[in-house]
Structure formats: C-alpha cells, structure tokens
mmCIF file of all heavy atoms in Angstrom:
data_model
loop_
_atom_site.group_PDB
_atom_site.id
_atom_site.type_symbol
_atom_site.label_atom_id
_atom_site.label_comp_id
_atom_site.label_asym_id
_atom_site.label_seq_id
_atom_site.Cartn_x
_atom_site.Cartn_y
_atom_site.Cartn_z
ATOM 1 N N ILE A 1 9.146 15.150 15.739
ATOM 2 C CA ILE A 1 9.789 15.227 17.054
ATOM 3 C C ILE A 1 9.431 14.006 17.899
ATOM 4 O O ILE A 1 10.288 13.417 18.572
ATOM 5 C CB ILE A 1 9.359 16.524 17.773
ATOM 6 C CG1 ILE A 1 9.807 17.755 16.982
ATOM 7 C CG2 ILE A 1 9.937 16.570 19.188
ATOM 8 C CD1 ILE A 1 9.237 19.059 17.491
ATOM 9 N N ILE A 2 8.169 13.627 17.872
ATOM 10 C CA ILE A 2 7.697 12.482 18.668
ATOM 11 C C ILE A 2 8.473 11.217 18.314
ATOM 12 O O ILE A 2 8.953 10.487 19.187
ATOM 13 C CB ILE A 2 6.188 12.266 18.443
ATOM 14 C CG1 ILE A 2 5.384 13.408 19.065
ATOM 15 C CG2 ILE A 2 5.731 10.923 19.010
ATOM 16 C CD1 ILE A 2 3.937 13.460 18.601
ATOM 17 N N GLU A 3 8.623 10.973 17.017
ATOM 18 C CA GLU A 3 9.305 9.758 16.572
ATOM 19 C C GLU A 3 10.784 9.806 16.911
ATOM 20 O O GLU A 3 11.361 8.824 17.389
ATOM 21 C CB GLU A 3 9.102 9.586 15.068
ATOM 22 C CG GLU A 3 9.633 8.267 14.527
ATOM 23 C CD GLU A 3 9.346 8.097 13.051
ATOM 24 O OE1 GLU A 3 9.407 9.106 12.303
ATOM 25 O OE2 GLU A 3 9.050 6.971 12.642
ATOM 26 N N ARG A 4 11.412 10.955 16.679
ATOM 27 C CA ARG A 4 12.850 11.088 16.920
ATOM 28 C C ARG A 4 13.182 10.942 18.395
ATOM 29 O O ARG A 4 14.216 10.373 18.760
ATOM 30 C CB ARG A 4 13.334 12.449 16.397
ATOM 31 C CG ARG A 4 14.772 12.791 16.756
ATOM 32 C CD ARG A 4 15.290 13.923 15.892
ATOM 33 N NE ARG A 4 14.441 15.102 15.944
ATOM 34 C CZ ARG A 4 14.570 16.070 16.848
ATOM 35 N NH1 ARG A 4 15.476 15.981 17.797
ATOM 36 N NH2 ARG A 4 13.775 17.126 16.816
ATOM 37 N N CYS A 5 12.298 11.433 19.265
ATOM 38 C CA CYS A 5 12.583 11.455 20.699
ATOM 39 C C CYS A 5 11.944 10.293 21.463
ATOM 40 O O CYS A 5 12.123 10.191 22.683
ATOM 41 C CB CYS A 5 12.111 12.785 21.300
ATOM 42 S SG CYS A 5 12.904 14.234 20.567
ATOM 43 N N GLY A 6 11.204 9.443 20.778
ATOM 44 C CA GLY A 6 10.587 8.296 21.442
ATOM 45 C C GLY A 6 9.512 8.666 22.437
ATOM 46 O O GLY A 6 9.367 8.032 23.481
ATOM 47 N N MET A 7 8.712 9.675 22.120
ATOM 48 C CA MET A 7 7.700 10.188 23.042
ATOM 49 C C MET A 7 6.390 9.421 22.894
ATOM 50 O O MET A 7 5.483 9.817 22.164
ATOM 51 C CB MET A 7 7.477 11.681 22.780
ATOM 52 C CG MET A 7 8.693 12.547 23.019
ATOM 53 S SD MET A 7 8.380 14.260 22.488
ATOM 54 C CE MET A 7 9.780 15.117 23.194
ATOM 55 N N LYS A 8 6.271 8.329 23.610
ATOM 56 C CA LYS A 8 5.095 7.460 23.465
ATOM 57 C C LYS A 8 3.813 8.143 23.940
ATOM 58 O O LYS A 8 2.732 7.874 23.409
ATOM 59 C CB LYS A 8 5.314 6.164 24.243
ATOM 60 C CG LYS A 8 6.377 5.264 23.646
ATOM 61 C CD LYS A 8 6.480 3.964 24.415
ATOM 62 C CE LYS A 8 7.523 3.047 23.781
ATOM 63 N NZ LYS A 8 7.654 1.766 24.515
ATOM 64 N N LEU A 9 3.924 9.007 24.946
ATOM 65 C CA LEU A 9 2.731 9.701 25.438
ATOM 66 C C LEU A 9 2.113 10.537 24.324
ATOM 67 O O LEU A 9 0.909 10.457 24.058
ATOM 68 C CB LEU A 9 3.100 10.592 26.629
ATOM 69 C CG LEU A 9 1.927 11.138 27.438
ATOM 70 C CD1 LEU A 9 1.476 10.104 28.466
ATOM 71 C CD2 LEU A 9 2.294 12.439 28.136
ATOM 72 N N TYR A 10 2.945 11.340 23.665
ATOM 73 C CA TYR A 10 2.443 12.195 22.604
ATOM 74 C C TYR A 10 2.128 11.400 21.345
ATOM 75 O O TYR A 10 1.311 11.844 20.516
ATOM 76 C CB TYR A 10 3.450 13.303 22.297
ATOM 77 C CG TYR A 10 3.770 14.178 23.484
ATOM 78 C CD1 TYR A 10 5.067 14.627 23.716
ATOM 79 C CD2 TYR A 10 2.774 14.536 24.392
ATOM 80 C CE1 TYR A 10 5.359 15.424 24.813
ATOM 81 C CE2 TYR A 10 3.064 15.331 25.495
ATOM 82 C CZ TYR A 10 4.362 15.769 25.694
ATOM 83 O OH TYR A 10 4.654 16.552 26.782
ATOM 84 N N ALA A 11 2.770 10.229 21.191
ATOM 85 C CA ALA A 11 2.444 9.365 20.050
ATOM 86 C C ALA A 11 0.985 8.941 20.113
ATOM 87 O O ALA A 11 0.303 8.872 19.084
ATOM 88 C CB ALA A 11 3.360 8.143 20.042
ATOM 89 N N LEU A 12 0.498 8.662 21.313
ATOM 90 C CA LEU A 12 -0.907 8.287 21.470
ATOM 91 C C LEU A 12 -1.826 9.439 21.106
ATOM 92 O O LEU A 12 -2.827 9.260 20.396
ATOM 93 C CB LEU A 12 -1.161 7.832 22.905
ATOM 94 C CG LEU A 12 -2.599 7.458 23.281
ATOM 95 C CD1 LEU A 12 -3.158 6.416 22.338
ATOM 96 C CD2 LEU A 12 -2.663 6.962 24.709
ATOM 97 N N ASP A 13 -1.488 10.652 21.574
ATOM 98 C CA ASP A 13 -2.280 11.825 21.196
ATOM 99 C C ASP A 13 -2.301 11.990 19.674
ATOM 100 O O ASP A 13 -3.344 12.288 19.074
ATOM 101 C CB ASP A 13 -1.702 13.085 21.837
ATOM 102 C CG ASP A 13 -1.804 13.067 23.352
ATOM 103 O OD1 ASP A 13 -2.667 12.340 23.885
ATOM 104 O OD2 ASP A 13 -1.001 13.768 24.008
ATOM 105 N N TYR A 14 -1.128 11.806 19.069
ATOM 106 C CA TYR A 14 -1.016 11.930 17.614
ATOM 107 C C TYR A 14 -1.922 10.925 16.905
ATOM 108 O O TYR A 14 -2.630 11.275 15.954
ATOM 109 C CB TYR A 14 0.437 11.721 17.195
ATOM 110 C CG TYR A 14 0.620 11.531 15.700
ATOM 111 C CD1 TYR A 14 0.788 12.622 14.859
ATOM 112 C CD2 TYR A 14 0.617 10.248 15.140
ATOM 113 C CE1 TYR A 14 0.936 12.447 13.491
ATOM 114 C CE2 TYR A 14 0.773 10.069 13.777
ATOM 115 C CZ TYR A 14 0.925 11.167 12.960
ATOM 116 O OH TYR A 14 1.073 10.991 11.609
ATOM 117 N N LEU A 15 -1.906 9.682 17.346
ATOM 118 C CA LEU A 15 -2.692 8.634 16.687
ATOM 119 C C LEU A 15 -4.181 8.960 16.707
ATOM 120 O O LEU A 15 -4.891 8.736 15.714
ATOM 121 C CB LEU A 15 -2.443 7.284 17.362
ATOM 122 C CG LEU A 15 -1.068 6.660 17.129
ATOM 123 C CD1 LEU A 15 -0.862 5.478 18.061
ATOM 124 C CD2 LEU A 15 -0.889 6.243 15.674
ATOM 125 N N LEU A 16 -4.661 9.485 17.838
ATOM 126 C CA LEU A 16 -6.089 9.797 17.940
ATOM 127 C C LEU A 16 -6.476 10.974 17.045
ATOM 128 O O LEU A 16 -7.535 10.957 16.406
ATOM 129 C CB LEU A 16 -6.457 10.081 19.393
ATOM 130 C CG LEU A 16 -6.370 8.875 20.343
ATOM 131 C CD1 LEU A 16 -6.581 9.311 21.785
ATOM 132 C CD2 LEU A 16 -7.386 7.809 19.954
ATOM 133 N N ILE A 17 -5.614 12.004 16.997
ATOM 134 C CA ILE A 17 -5.936 13.177 16.174
ATOM 135 C C ILE A 17 -5.735 12.852 14.692
ATOM 136 O O ILE A 17 -6.589 13.163 13.846
ATOM 137 C CB ILE A 17 -5.076 14.392 16.595
ATOM 138 C CG1 ILE A 17 -5.350 14.768 18.057
ATOM 139 C CG2 ILE A 17 -5.374 15.595 15.692
ATOM 140 C CD1 ILE A 17 -4.390 15.793 18.621
ATOM 141 N N HIS A 18 -4.623 12.212 14.366
ATOM 142 C CA HIS A 18 -4.372 11.854 12.967
ATOM 143 C C HIS A 18 -5.395 10.834 12.474
ATOM 144 O O HIS A 18 -5.768 10.825 11.286
ATOM 145 C CB HIS A 18 -2.952 11.307 12.801
ATOM 146 C CG HIS A 18 -2.536 11.172 11.369
ATOM 147 N ND1 HIS A 18 -2.602 9.977 10.680
ATOM 148 C CD2 HIS A 18 -2.051 12.090 10.479
ATOM 149 C CE1 HIS A 18 -2.170 10.161 9.447
ATOM 150 N NE2 HIS A 18 -1.833 11.431 9.286
ATOM 151 N N GLY A 19 -5.877 9.993 13.389
ATOM 152 C CA GLY A 19 -6.927 9.045 13.018
ATOM 153 C C GLY A 19 -8.179 9.757 12.562
ATOM 154 O O GLY A 19 -8.819 9.358 11.566
ATOM 155 N N ARG A 20 -8.553 10.829 13.272
ATOM 156 C CA ARG A 20 -9.722 11.612 12.864
ATOM 157 C C ARG A 20 -9.461 12.317 11.527
ATOM 158 O O ARG A 20 -10.365 12.459 10.694
ATOM 159 C CB ARG A 20 -10.086 12.622 13.944
ATOM 160 C CG ARG A 20 -10.694 11.969 15.183
ATOM 161 C CD ARG A 20 -10.780 12.912 16.370
ATOM 162 N NE ARG A 20 -11.204 14.244 16.000
ATOM 163 C CZ ARG A 20 -10.621 15.357 16.462
ATOM 164 N NH1 ARG A 20 -9.605 15.270 17.298
ATOM 165 N NH2 ARG A 20 -11.068 16.528 16.090
ATOM 166 N N TYR A 21 -8.223 12.770 11.336
ATOM 167 C CA TYR A 21 -7.860 13.372 10.050
ATOM 168 C C TYR A 21 -8.036 12.353 8.928
ATOM 169 O O TYR A 21 -8.562 12.681 7.856
ATOM 170 C CB TYR A 21 -6.412 13.877 10.093
ATOM 171 C CG TYR A 21 -5.853 14.215 8.736
ATOM 172 C CD1 TYR A 21 -6.088 15.460 8.162
ATOM 173 C CD2 TYR A 21 -5.105 13.281 8.018
ATOM 174 C CE1 TYR A 21 -5.600 15.765 6.901
ATOM 175 C CE2 TYR A 21 -4.610 13.578 6.756
ATOM 176 C CZ TYR A 21 -4.865 14.820 6.206
ATOM 177 O OH TYR A 21 -4.387 15.120 4.954
ATOM 178 N N CYS A 22 -7.611 11.128 9.169
ATOM 179 C CA CYS A 22 -7.739 10.075 8.158
ATOM 180 C C CYS A 22 -9.205 9.800 7.832
ATOM 181 O O CYS A 22 -9.568 9.595 6.662
ATOM 182 C CB CYS A 22 -7.052 8.792 8.635
ATOM 183 S SG CYS A 22 -5.249 8.929 8.728
ATOM 184 N N LEU A 23 -10.053 9.796 8.857
ATOM 185 C CA LEU A 23 -11.491 9.616 8.609
ATOM 186 C C LEU A 23 -12.041 10.738 7.739
ATOM 187 O O LEU A 23 -12.864 10.507 6.851
ATOM 188 C CB LEU A 23 -12.249 9.541 9.934
ATOM 189 C CG LEU A 23 -12.117 8.252 10.739
ATOM 190 C CD1 LEU A 23 -12.921 8.345 12.035
ATOM 191 C CD2 LEU A 23 -12.587 7.049 9.924
ATOM 192 N N ALA A 24 -11.590 11.964 8.009
ATOM 193 C CA ALA A 24 -12.074 13.105 7.219
ATOM 194 C C ALA A 24 -11.652 12.990 5.759
ATOM 195 O O ALA A 24 -12.291 13.575 4.870
ATOM 196 C CB ALA A 24 -11.548 14.405 7.812
ATOM 197 N N ASN A 25 -10.577 12.212 5.504
ATOM 198 C CA ASN A 25 -10.094 12.025 4.142
ATOM 199 C C ASN A 25 -10.437 10.644 3.593
ATOM 200 O O ASN A 25 -9.882 10.238 2.565
ATOM 201 C CB ASN A 25 -8.578 12.238 4.088
ATOM 202 C CG ASN A 25 -8.192 13.700 4.090
ATOM 203 O OD1 ASN A 25 -8.240 14.376 3.069
ATOM 204 N ND2 ASN A 25 -7.840 14.201 5.261
ATOM 205 N N ALA A 26 -11.318 9.926 4.292
ATOM 206 C CA ALA A 26 -11.757 8.587 3.876
ATOM 207 C C ALA A 26 -10.599 7.603 3.739
ATOM 208 O O ALA A 26 -10.668 6.654 2.955
ATOM 209 C CB ALA A 26 -12.550 8.673 2.568
ATOM 210 N N ASP A 27 -9.528 7.841 4.518
ATOM 211 C CA ASP A 27 -8.401 6.891 4.554
ATOM 212 C C ASP A 27 -8.674 5.917 5.700
ATOM 213 O O ASP A 27 -8.078 5.984 6.775
ATOM 214 C CB ASP A 27 -7.090 7.650 4.773
ATOM 215 C CG ASP A 27 -5.874 6.729 4.770
ATOM 216 O OD1 ASP A 27 -6.045 5.501 4.601
ATOM 217 O OD2 ASP A 27 -4.750 7.232 4.979
ATOM 218 N N PHE A 28 -9.590 5.002 5.458
ATOM 219 C CA PHE A 28 -10.091 4.140 6.526
ATOM 220 C C PHE A 28 -9.058 3.110 6.992
ATOM 221 O O PHE A 28 -9.020 2.769 8.169
ATOM 222 C CB PHE A 28 -11.374 3.439 6.072
ATOM 223 C CG PHE A 28 -12.481 4.399 5.713
ATOM 224 C CD1 PHE A 28 -13.164 4.292 4.511
ATOM 225 C CD2 PHE A 28 -12.828 5.430 6.576
ATOM 226 C CE1 PHE A 28 -14.183 5.179 4.181
ATOM 227 C CE2 PHE A 28 -13.841 6.323 6.261
ATOM 228 C CZ PHE A 28 -14.514 6.201 5.059
ATOM 229 N N ASP A 29 -8.213 2.628 6.083
ATOM 230 C CA ASP A 29 -7.196 1.652 6.477
ATOM 231 C C ASP A 29 -6.260 2.235 7.530
ATOM 232 O O ASP A 29 -5.978 1.600 8.556
ATOM 233 C CB ASP A 29 -6.382 1.201 5.255
ATOM 234 C CG ASP A 29 -7.182 0.295 4.333
ATOM 235 O OD1 ASP A 29 -7.965 -0.521 4.858
ATOM 236 O OD2 ASP A 29 -7.031 0.408 3.116
ATOM 237 N N THR A 30 -5.759 3.439 7.290
ATOM 238 C CA THR A 30 -4.852 4.080 8.248
ATOM 239 C C THR A 30 -5.561 4.379 9.556
ATOM 240 O O THR A 30 -5.005 4.176 10.642
ATOM 241 C CB THR A 30 -4.270 5.378 7.655
ATOM 242 O OG1 THR A 30 -3.605 5.087 6.428
ATOM 243 C CG2 THR A 30 -3.272 6.014 8.622
#
C-alpha cells in the first residue's frame, strides 16, 4: 500500500522496522 500510494511518511516507518527484521536475519546489506 505504501509503495502504491506514495506514502513517504509510512515508508520511513517501514524502513526502520524492516531494517530491524533484516538484522534479525543477518541481511546486513539490506
């Protein structure tokens, strides 16, 4: 939804939460 609707505010929230998810999976590049 964020990408389709251009919601930059929620995109930032997504990046921070998904970033922590990536750390939990050792996906350090992402």
Side-chain angles (χ1 to χ4, degrees):
I1 298 171
I2 291 166
E3 187 177 37
R4 172 164 55 88
C5 300
M7 297 173 168
K8 291 184 178 180
L9 193 84
Y10 301 141
L12 177 54
D13 295 337
Y14 168 88
L15 289 169
L16 293 173
I17 299 170
H18 191 262
R20 288 167 41 225
Y21 167 84
C22 292
L23 286 179
N25 282 280
D27 182 0
F28 300 130
D29 288 323
T30 303

